Every structure is written in C-alpha cells, then in structure tokens.
Amino acid sequence: IKECDWSSDVCSSDLMALWRASGDASFTFVRTVDRAAIMGVTLDPLPAGPIGRLDRANSFRVSLGSGALASVSEARMFAGANAAALRGPEGAWEIIGFTNAELVGGRTWRLSHLLRGLGGEEFLAARTLTAGADFVLLDEAVTPLTSSLGDLGASLTWRIGPASLDHADPA
C-alpha cells in the first residue's frame, strides 16, 4: 500500500480504514480514522526541566506538517489537554504538557509553560532533548490500536487506505 500523504486532498478528505492481520490470517477491519494526528519536529533543544511543577523558564519551537496548536488554561492542561509525545534520538518517548502555544512563523509554534515527564518517564525530563525530536500531539486523533493483552508481542501486519475501498486495493 502506498504511503498516504494526509496533506493531499485524497487522504485528508476521505475516511480511512485500518486493517490488520496476524501471521497467515486474513485481514480484519479494526477501525476508521477520520483525521491525521498533528505531528512535527522540534527546532530547538529542550533543556532538562523540573518534575512535578510547571517549567516557566524553558520553551521550544516545533514545526508542524499540518494542523494547528492552541493555548489552554493550566486547569485544562492538568485535565489532559495539550499533551504531546517527544521522541529523543535514543528512541525513548517523553510525555509533556504545555499551556502556551504561540504561532511564530509558517507552521512553527513556540511551546512554553511545560509540564515534563507526565507518562512516568521523569528520568527523560532530566535530559536535554536535542533539536530534531519527533513531536506528536496526543489528542483524539491518536488512539490505541488495541486494548487486548493478547496482542502484546504479537507480530501484526497493518494496512490503511480509503474506507471506500477494500484492504487489498493498491491505494
């Protein structure tokens, strides 16, 4: 299956279907996806930050492929709004929260008032995260692929394509 470019008219306007197969089994429908996740890359290093309190001293810029970010109140952030995952060069993901999102250029946002290490990875908040880290906004567009413990460690094959087509279609 070709990689879907969510910024194109073909993918962004169509409902996409997610299918999976285990081993030699046939593909089964998992769910539909109606929008792409907001993803990007950091443009600045993020110094180590405090744990368990807002970091008002540090900020970083992120360049998004598509979508937009918005500022939220501290209460909304503590309730889960503006959570994001940052992947360092070693491949480890840190979950952060942010209250301030300021558009500073075309598709470029400065994020500040950070809350680091939200997913139990406080040790990652103690590192300096280099520029070029992957960024994924953890909103309703990002959902687990499974909730079954039986899927842990399973070798699965995934296909995604327009929901109006069969999973075997080359689109």
Side-chain angles (χ1 to χ4, degrees):
I1 290 183
K2 298 183 290 187
E3 183 175 305
C4 183
D5 176 4
W6 283 94
S7 64
S8 74
D9 290 337
V10 173
C11 293
S12 62
S13 63
D14 290 343
L15 192 63
M16 303 298 282
L18 183 63
W19 300 78
R20 78 175 191 179
S22 177
D24 292 336
S26 61
F27 281 90
T28 57
F29 174 78
V30 175
R31 61 182 286 248
T32 57
V33 178
D34 61 356
R35 68 184 182 106
I38 295 176
M39 300 186 310
V41 63
T42 63
L43 300 176
D44 305 308
L46 179 57
I51 303 298
R53 64 182 173 86
L54 278 176
D55 181 354
R56 298 180 194 280
N58 294 313
S59 66
F60 66 96
R61 292 175 303 143
V62 63
S63 176
L64 300 180
S66 64
L69 301 173
S71 296
V72 297
S73 67
E74 288 180 12
R76 288 206 50 226
M77 185 204 49
F78 289 133
N82 279 1
L86 298 172
R87 182 170 58 178
E90 74 288 341
W93 290 90
E94 177 187 357
I95 309 301
I96 67 162
F98 60 93
T99 61
N100 293 348
E102 174 189 5
L103 182 63
V104 294
R107 295 186 179 175
T108 302
W109 301 81
R110 180 177 313 285
L111 306 182
S112 60
H113 293 127
L114 309 172
L115 192 57
R116 305 279 304 270
L118 292 177
E121 61 286 315
E122 293 89 355
F123 67 98
L124 293 175
R127 68 178 175 182
T128 295
L129 187 65
T130 59
D134 292 325
F135 171 93
V136 179
L137 185 67
L138 300 177
D139 62 3
E140 59 276 354
V142 179
T143 59
L145 294 176
T146 185
S147 60
S148 171
L149 290 176
D151 288 338
L152 289 176
S155 179
L156 302 172
T157 302
W158 297 90
R159 290 192 176 173
I160 187 168
S164 60
L165 300 175
D166 182 73
H167 66 80
D169 191 283

